[in-house]
Amino acid sequence: MHFGVVSFPGSNCEQDAVHAIRYLGYDASFVWHQERDLSKYDAILLPGGFSYGDYLRCGAVARFSPVMEEVVREADAGKPIIGICNGFQILTEAHLLPGALIRNVGLKFLCKTVALRLEDSVCKWTDAPAGTIYHLPIAHNEGNYICDPDTLKALQDNGQIVLRYCEESGEVLPNSAPNGALDNIAGICNERGNVLGMMPHPERVCDGVAGNRDGVDFFNGIVRMLEGAVL
Amino acid sequence: MSEKIIESMEAIPDPVSNLEGMDAELGLQTAIELGLTQGEYEHVCKIQGRTPTITELYIYSLMWSEHCSYKHSKLQLKKFSSEGEYVLQGPGENAGVISVGDGWAVAFKMESHNHPSAIEPFQGAATGVGGIIRDIFTMGARPIASMDSLRFGTLDKPRQRYLFDGAVGGVSSYGNCLGIPTVGGDVFFDEAYEGNCLIDVVGVGLLREEELTRAVGSGPGNHVVLIGSSTGRDGIGGASTLASQEFDEAAENKRPAVQVGDPLEEKLLIEVCLELLKAGKFVALGDLGAAGLTSSASEMASRGGVGIDIDVRKVIQREENMQPFEIMVSESQERMLAVVTPENLPDVAECCDRWGVAYAPIGKITDTGRFVVRDTDLPADRQIVADMPAEKLAQDAPVYDPAMERPAYLDEVAAFDISSLDLPEGEEELQQAYMDMIASANICSRKWIWQQYDHQVQGNTVVLPGADAAVVRIGDTGRGEMTNRGIALTTDCNGLYCYLDPYVGAQGAIVEATRNLACVGAKPAAVTDCLNFGNPEKPEVFWTFSSAIDGLSDACKRFRIPVISGNVSFYNESFGNAIFPTPNIGMVGVIDDLDKIMTPSFKDEGDVIILLGETLDELGGSEFLRSRYGLATGKPPAVDLELEADLDAMLLELIAIKAIKSAHDCSEGGIAVALTESALAGNIGFSVDLDDDLGGCASLFSETQSRVVISAAEERVDSIVDMAQAKGVPLSVIGTVGGSRIEIAGKVSADLAEVKAIYDGTLEKLVTAH
């Protein structure tokens, strides 16, 4: 099981992601953004950070990197792709996922651990039961998910909403999202379920460095799925 | 003037040109406009053997500015000891370096960016982060953490809210983009900082011992390569016009001297430089900070005992018609200077191209010992515009031994009689005083700040902000080299204590730092300092500076903690009013086993709460007097270095044998605040009886040093009491953990959730409510 972790100029969570994947016992390699062949990887991860400094708009420049043509091709072919934080922003800019991520409602960068509820979705990245509550760190300035009403309805109807911000109890209240995200959306997938974008950072909570290991499901889930060849 | 200049008498290498200097009178007039004194100008003429050229004069004025030359502080700084078992690199380089075990080393340094931030807080703070981080990776270390120590005026003033919000935003914007976790720091608000905020940033980096790199130029014929951003007119004279003068009405006009940061460029520079350093492609590497190319190049040449020859026209410029002196002293950010052998130049070029980072060979190392600047746009016989002895320029700035005089106010504040105040008494009044204390800007939660900082990127943050010290795991995730070792980091300094008694206050910063480290289970290893004071040419200010250094150095020597790097920021004065003397320190501790660390949070119902140390009647300089009565007076809490050493040792032992479940230092706000913070962190209440002979206010809010609140399972208590007796550490069992209320017998009874709402919400309310 081999993950390719893409590095754009300004990415800064690629090392954390490679570490988490290797810690869980899988292979991981750094993929420079100018590479054009992703065929040897079983899954692709677009890491967090500030690709191209977030200049112009988060992810707007990175989507034109040579590697992204290949990411789109692999996604269309059904390969599992995960975008975390800036990676999620890049996936929306590349139109692999609908909607956009705008400034947090408080207009401040937010770094904190939040409660999230796993929804009943078509996403293939985790096989944990719907309703599972995770505590994952967020660290972003632009995590406020928006889309038009039709898209939102499609996301809801198709089971594309993967994670919602929630209260400690698991209840999703109108203002559970710390960043103002529409419908408390923290993560969505494409219709096919192989492309996942999420603002929280599961890779930061895999090896238990600060006690929490809630991130492991997102890596183990896709591996189980691939090994069971369900995809 | 009672200052005396101390000069060295070393030989000066011969010039390489027959350059002529400027008219003597015009030279003196220009020198004075650039901030040099007449004596300093004459010293320049003596070194040059003639009057300087205009380019030379600009260069000398920057290199000999207070900010670059430490001319007023150099003699005082000699009091510090930089020797220690862990030390690999002491002061004199871009950062100090200590060994932390198994071949790993940590580079760190604290630096101020006060003056630029007081003019333009966002960019000032952002470029402050950028500057200190360059100092770290210059040493061959990957930056792994930063902290920021902030001081502002009170938040009821719009200008102070703007400065605070802007500075936090700047640190957040730049540090987050670099992917370096900002894991700790401190903030303090007082009117004393109204005209001059303090933005002091600590940078910390990790390296293998054998990867240590120094900025020592060598090898005549080697290329001098400028890497990174282009050079513009930004920040010209920042070191002399901003950082080495007091502020007055014209301060706003100095805004163009504040640089603008580009964190993406810096992130790329980190990757390029670390890759090339590890591949052995650099002979030397230095960053361009204050005084830009001038200071970087001359220091590199001087450390290596070589000369350097630079062609300003080879420097990539972002503006047109730049004069040679502008290029030489520009403080454009995100630039590094490397010495590269001719055979390695193609590899350096390849790496820079791959990362999209600009580079330009701008000159050569020579064997002349001269710092030569040429402008190849000029006719062939007039291309040399500066020809100076590199070592004299970098090392031979005049050193002053300024006059000192003990300030008269010290007796007045020491004589303060607290019985002149009508202090709260009885449960109702004390309860209200307690609630007011929790809502003080200097006590309430700092969450509003650290939530804006990515404090977990890199995946090695073990103890998050909000504890006594941050704990970071040692390991290189990219290389897959992980360890179970850690370092603990803290910044400390109570400027009010230092104002009331600079010696005791400075010692207080050291003991609070060692205690903070002990509270998480770390043994102190080394200190970096950032000494923020007013105008050193005022004898009273200089007395406080000298006295604070005595305090720091005596305390550090007692604990055998070396001072391995640091920075001095003078002229923190506006309209003649100086800030509180603020000798900020950053202290790094080592943790050999991350399974043996401690946090401040209360853990389990029924655990016993114990106070190590003893509360004395010490409300002088307290947050209680400051916030309730607006008083900055009294004697600050006394420091007993021996007691502190015993207490810290006992705490480390308790943590190592896993005898306790929490530890939290008592500092500003006293034991009432310490207990509350442990309860809030653990989301569990407590009930204690502070059975002392003090008045209610002193009992709750006295800031006596050398006290720690711990909690432990009941069956552990007897052995803890025995240990305290054996070590001579005062101890009292004061209560138990549990419930959802805060109960301090006869003094405070409050609902934990209600206190939490106030504690967590105050800072944001103060910044945004207006």
Side-chain angles (χ1 to χ4, degrees), chain A residues 8-16 18-19 22 30 32-34 50-55 108-113 137-139 201 204-205 207 209-210, chain B residues 142 165 172 176-179 262-265 267-268 354-355 448 450-462 464 473 476-480 482:
Chain A
F8 300 95
S11 294
N12 64 30
C13 299
E14 71 276 32
Q15 299 206 343
D16 318 20
V18 165
H19 166 68
R22 289 177 182 161
F30 295 106
W32 187 236
H33 71 115
Q34 284 170 334
F50 292 69
S51 58
Y52 296 94
D54 276 358
Y55 297 158
K108 299 282 184 203
F109 190 96
L110 270 182
C111 178
K112 62 192 286 198
T113 293
I138 55 168
H201 286 272
R204 292 186 181 181
V205 279
D207 72 354
V209 62
Chain B
R142 176 167 285 280
D165 191 35
S172 161
N176 295 351
C177 188
L178 291 184
D262 176 355
L264 173 64
E265 184 72 26
K267 167 70 176 161
L268 300 179
R354 180 159 32 85
W355 283 97
W448 182 84
W450 49 256
Q451 276 189 351
Q452 295 185 53
Y453 302 154
D454 190 341
H455 48 263
Q456 284 178 293
V457 63
Q458 297 191 12
N460 285 321
T461 311
V462 182
L464 277 49
R473 178 173 58 186
D476 186 330
T477 51
R479 285 193 286 199
M482 304 308 294

Side-chain angles (χ1 to χ4, degrees), chain B residues 6 32 36 60 97-98 209 417 490 602 692 700 714 770:
Chain B
I6 298 164
I32 286 166
L36 291 174
Y60 274 103
V97 183
I98 57 166
E209 284 183 17
D417 179 9
T490 182
F602 287 149
D692 49 38
L700 292 173
E714 198 174 356
H770 300 265

